[in-house]
Amino acid sequence: PDAVLYVSAVLRIGGCSQPALMLALGLAVKQAIERTCAVPVDLRWPNDVLCAGRKCAGILAHLHDAVVIAGIGINVNHTTFPMELRQEATSLRLAGGHPVSRERLLIAVLEEVDAVLPRLAEGGQAGILRSFAAASSYVSGRRVVVSQDGQTLRGVTAGLDSQGFLKLREDSGRETLILAGGVRPEEAS
């Protein structure tokens, strides 16, 4: 029961792309975790939060009428995971070596969301895109495999476009815009 923190928020924000909003929420979760747990966090485009290369949180957003419903899930106090998830998932407790207060983390997440959304609304999405690119080892120069539209693409990440979509320089030299799909590090062979 105290292993996971699930948060849903109804957000009223206009004038930004959904990718930029997702990236802003990722920044907020990263800041909240680092502030509360003193654990270094990486962001994997578009919606994964990582500790030591393993997923500890995820973010979803759904546009409904004139609002965005954002869902955030954070693995807080797990001490173990099923065998099939151990290589991909972690918790803040495992990453930091001690139990984490879900209440303190919830307050930090809400405070960080409240801080980042005005930046997005007032400063436009360019500042959020720069901040996300600086906070993520996946945005530029990372060798990845991407599943998109039933295809598997391989290449090196090449930054974000003006809306917040990920650019991939495929091995063929072609640059492809990643609109959705799983971005994973390419395993060394």
Side-chain angles (χ1 to χ4, degrees):
D2 68 343
V4 182
L5 174 63
Y6 294 111
V7 180
S8 294
V10 177
L11 309 172
R12 298 180 193 283
I13 184 164
C16 72
S17 67
Q18 182 145 348
L21 176 60
M22 292 291 293
L23 303 183
L25 292 170
L27 287 167
V29 172
K30 173 184 175 21
Q31 291 291 99
I33 290 170
E34 289 178 342
R35 191 175 99 196
T36 305
C37 307
V39 173
V41 175
D42 192 10
L43 297 168
R44 180 170 57 203
W45 186 94
N47 60 349
D48 291 339
V49 181
L50 310 173
C51 289
R54 294 184 177 153
K55 186 172 176 178
C56 65
I59 301 156
L60 296 174
H62 176 72
L63 182 61
H64 182 73
D65 295 328
V67 300
V68 173
I69 301 168
I72 300 167
I74 304 172
N75 296 334
V76 181
N77 284 312
H78 294 80
T79 56
T80 188
F81 285 91
M83 189 60 74
E84 65 273 12
L85 295 177
R86 287 185 186 163
Q87 295 301 313
E88 295 183 30
T90 193
S91 70
L92 301 180
R93 181 178 187 159
L94 289 171
H98 54 81
V100 174
S101 164
R102 287 186 320 148
E103 292 79 11
R104 283 188 44 218
L105 183 59
L106 173 61
I107 291 166
V109 167
L110 295 176
E111 287 173 349
E112 294 296 339
V113 168
D114 277 349
V116 77
L117 291 183
R119 282 182 50 207
L120 185 57
E122 296 162 10
Q125 52 195 47
I128 294 296
L129 300 182
R130 281 191 302 276
S131 294
F132 187 91
S136 171
S137 72
Y138 280 80
V139 169
S140 187
R142 181 79 177 246
R143 183 130 187 94
V144 296
V145 176
V146 180
S147 300
Q148 179 171 275
D149 298 330
Q151 294 183 294
T152 299
L153 308 173
R154 287 178 165 67
V156 176
T157 56
L160 301 171
D161 81 344
S162 63
Q163 298 298 305
F165 292 110
L166 185 65
K167 296 186 277 186
L168 178 71
R169 188 168 303 110
E170 291 184 61
D171 291 342
S172 66
R174 181 178 79 167
E175 191 170 283
T176 300
L177 199 58
I178 306 302
L179 305 176
V183 175
R184 299 289 181 259
E186 185 173 66
E187 300 297 325
S189 36

